[in-house]
């Protein structure tokens, strides 16, 4: 394949908590991330500024247009839209409605993530993801969003990375609400699955424009040591779904949410087939892909990292081949078209003496990962879009603001935006539809 498919959706992504700021403006109530204690976040930082996107929305869309983006993935803030039980905030809806209009005016396809981790405090107080009630609260919020935006939005992503907002938050305790509650895993899993099913049902039944519904998985895959060795490939596939880290990342969520099937170990947790009775099929699977599980530092079955191995600012391995094998393994198991909902490179970029942000490593990262994606498409894996994480530097959860993933540099003192070299590079890839990859 010389170029990517003609309709390929070249995009970039953000999430509300990470970029919006305006954390208590115009009727928004607080989320579990707004109240995170300073000791939970590096350097005692907080998410209150984000990238101040709320006040720079039109400027940010103009930059997207300048880069030639075809799509923009963003999340809706639940507490901005529904600040209290049963109460819809018209100004919250208006912010997203204006954003959607601005995107469409500039020929950019909006892709909406419904839950990117900002549980409202009022829901947390009623038990949050630990309580069954979350399903009905989430459904009410999704309904409000679908009624307000589905005349203009086609792409809906129900949940972003349940692996993180459940497992990192309730088992590892690294994300809000910072708990260690392994015994609650069954309850948490059941409530998450049912909230997702409820959202799919509402979108299917109520959307005004024919919807395309997906889910964004924190997708890890093992990769074979030798590329062309069938036995090695099968071993990597098997580890991707059946090793401890592979099963928790992929099968635990993928099988029930995408296939409507329980995984065997659900029996131990007393999650039953009847808990999955409201399953509805999706239209696509969103994959957030960063590094292979072979090299992931958190993976006990992985190899020991080689001294001096290439890695990002967050110590994530540079393993472009995962961008071939993850879509391949996920497609071959789940049989849904694939959207790369995230892929990106963190560094501690800074303006150089000439005022520009020179980030050649990021451009190289994008090239290497995209060239593997191109091979996957050549091998008939139906991938219809690539979404770089992130459009702009932002609040990286418990890691604070130091890791910068953006194509756009943010000055956190002034809110000033500067396109990094990699933004211009990505823009040239889009312009040629990936011809030189
Ligand atoms: C996963 C998450 O969806 C996003 O919020 C996060 O910033 C990036 N990946 C990088 O860690």
């Amino acid at each position: 394949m010389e170029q990517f498919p003609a309709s390929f959706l070249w995009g970039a992504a953000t999430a509300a908590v990470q970029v919006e700021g305006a954390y208590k403006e115009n009727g928004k109530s607080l989320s579990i991330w707004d109240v995170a204690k300073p000791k939970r976040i590096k350097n005692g930082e907080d998410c209150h500024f984000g990238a101040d996107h709320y006040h720079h929305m039109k400027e940010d869309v103009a930059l997207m247009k300048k880069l030639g983006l075809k799509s923009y993935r963003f999340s809706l803030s639940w507490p901005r839209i529904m600040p209290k039980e049963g109460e819809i905030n018209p100004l919250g809806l208006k912010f997203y409605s204006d954003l959607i209009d601005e995107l469409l005016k500039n020929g950019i396809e909006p892709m909406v993530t419904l839950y990117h981790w900002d549980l409202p405090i009022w829901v947390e107080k009623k038990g949050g993801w630990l309580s069954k009630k979350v399903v009905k609260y989430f459904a009410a919020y999704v309904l409000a969003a679908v009624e307000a935006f589905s005349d203009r939005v086609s792409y809906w992503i129900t949940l972003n990375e349940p692996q993180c907002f459940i497992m990192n938050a309730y088992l590892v305790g690294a994300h809000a609400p910072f708990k260690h509650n392994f015994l609650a895993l069954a309850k948490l899993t059941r409530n998450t699955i049912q909230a997702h099913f409820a959202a799919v049902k509402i979108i299917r039944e109520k959307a005004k424009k024919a919807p395309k519904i997906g889910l964004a998985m924190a997708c890890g895959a093992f990769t074979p040591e030798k590329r062309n060795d069938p036995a090695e490939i099968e071993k990597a596939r098997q580890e991707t779904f059946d090793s401890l880290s592979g099963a928790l990342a992929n099968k635990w969520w993928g099988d029930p949410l995408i296939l409507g099937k329980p995984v065997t170990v659900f029996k131990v947790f007393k999650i039953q087939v009847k808990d999955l009775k409201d399953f509805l099929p999706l239209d696509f699977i969103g994959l957030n892909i960063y590094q292979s599980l072979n090299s992931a530092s958190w993976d006990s079955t992985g190899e020991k990292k080689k001294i001096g191995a290439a890695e990002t600012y967050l110590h994530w391995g540079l393993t472009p081949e995962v961008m071939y094998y993850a879509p391949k393994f996920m497609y071959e198991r789940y049989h849904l078209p694939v959207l790369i909902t995230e892929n990106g490179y963190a560094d501690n970029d800074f303006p150089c003496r000439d005022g520009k942000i020179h980030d050649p490593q990021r451009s190289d990262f994008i090239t290497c990962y995209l060239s593997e994606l191109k091979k996957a498409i050549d091998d008939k894996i139906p991938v219809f879009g690539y979404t770089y994480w992130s459009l702009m530097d932002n609040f990286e959860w418990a890691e604070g603001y130091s890791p910068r993933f953006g194509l756009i540099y943010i000055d956190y003192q002034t809110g000033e935006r500067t396109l990094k070299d990699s933004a211009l590079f990505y823009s040239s890839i889009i312009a040629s539809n990936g011809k030189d990859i």
Side-chain angles (χ1 to χ4, degrees), residues 1 48 53 90 126 133 146 170 182 191 219 277 314 344 385:
M1 171 178 79
H48 300 166
H53 167 66
K126 307 211 177 212
K133 288 190 208 140
V146 169
Y170 290 88
F182 182 78
N191 295 338
C219 174
K277 70 175 181 356
L314 284 170

Side-chain angles (χ1 to χ4, degrees), residues 42-147:
K42 280 226 173 106
N43 307 319
E45 291 167 347
D46 60 47
C47 64
H48 300 166
F49 184 81
D52 204 25
H53 167 66
Y54 190 85
H55 299 115
H56 290 257
M57 186 270 277
K58 288 203 171 168
E59 182 186 349
D60 291 340
V61 177
L63 289 171
M64 293 180 217
K65 166 85 175 167
K66 184 166 177 188
L67 297 179
L69 295 194
K70 311 271 184 246
S71 65
Y72 174 51
R73 173 183 174 223
F74 60 96
S75 78
L76 307 178
S77 157
W78 181 353
R80 197 181 290 290
I81 289 182
M82 205 166 244
K84 279 191 194 150
E85 182 173 357
E87 195 177 299
I88 295 174
N89 174 19
L91 290 177
L93 290 178
K94 182 176 181 320
F95 172 69
Y96 298 110
S97 186
D98 291 350
L99 167 62
I100 292 164
D101 285 345
E102 196 66 19
L103 290 168
L104 292 172
K105 203 168 87 193
N106 285 284
I108 301 167
E109 182 73 47
M111 294 180 167
V112 167
T113 307
L114 288 158
Y115 186 71
H116 204 129
W117 310 356
D118 41 358
L119 194 77
I121 289 293
W122 67 263
V123 182
E124 177 65 10
K125 285 199 175 135
K126 307 211 177 212
W129 289 104
L130 288 163
S131 160
K132 265 209 261 225
K133 288 190 208 140
V134 73
V135 179
K136 82 170 182 210
Y137 296 139
F138 187 59
Y141 149 70
V142 171
L143 180 61
V146 169
E147 280 176 346

Side-chain angles (χ1 to χ4, degrees), residues 294-363:
N294 312 43
S295 72
S297 48
W298 61 79
D299 179 31
S300 54
T301 60
E303 299 147 19
K304 205 162 178 297
K305 249 190 203 152
K306 297 189 181 76
I307 295 174
E311 57 180 25
T312 75
Y313 186 73
L314 284 170
H315 305 295
W316 296 0
L318 295 178
T319 56
E321 62 282 5
V322 68
M323 195 51 109
Y324 174 85
Y325 286 102
K328 173 180 165 67
F329 292 159
M330 297 302 275
Y331 173 67
E332 288 169 353
R333 186 177 184 95
Y334 296 120
H335 309 289
L336 284 178
V338 170
L339 172 67
I340 306 302
T341 31
E342 285 183 29
N343 170 241
Y345 173 84
D347 213 331
N348 68 337
D349 312 294
F350 52 84
C352 296
R353 276 177 303 158
D354 60 3
K356 297 189 175 154
I357 292 93
H358 301 299
D359 57 340
Q361 277 89 347
R362 182 168 290 106
S363 299

Side-chain angles (χ1 to χ4, degrees), residues 135 138-139 142 193-203 278:
V135 179
F138 187 59
V142 171
I193 290 174
Q194 288 174 358
H196 162 89
F197 290 163
V200 178
K201 183 167 191 291
I202 290 166
I203 307 168
D278 296 325

Side-chain angles (χ1 to χ4, degrees), residues 14-15 18 73 116-117 160-161 164 175 216 218 288 290 314 316 341-344 346 389-390 394-397 399 405:
T14 62
Q18 296 179 271
R73 173 183 174 223
H116 204 129
W117 310 356
N160 179 70
E161 298 193 347
C164 278
H175 278 193
N288 295 354
Y290 290 88
L314 284 170
W316 296 0
T341 31
E342 285 183 29
N343 170 241
W389 181 273
S390 169
N394 62 52
F395 173 77
E396 176 58 18
W397 309 108
E399 298 291 328
F405 275 93

Side-chain angles (χ1 to χ4, degrees), residues 363-364 366-367 420-430 437:
S363 299
D364 200 60
I366 293 174
T367 308
K420 299 181 190 175
D421 288 357
S422 60
L424 303 174
F425 174 75
Y426 184 45
S427 177
S428 72
I429 292 180
I430 298 174
I437 293 291

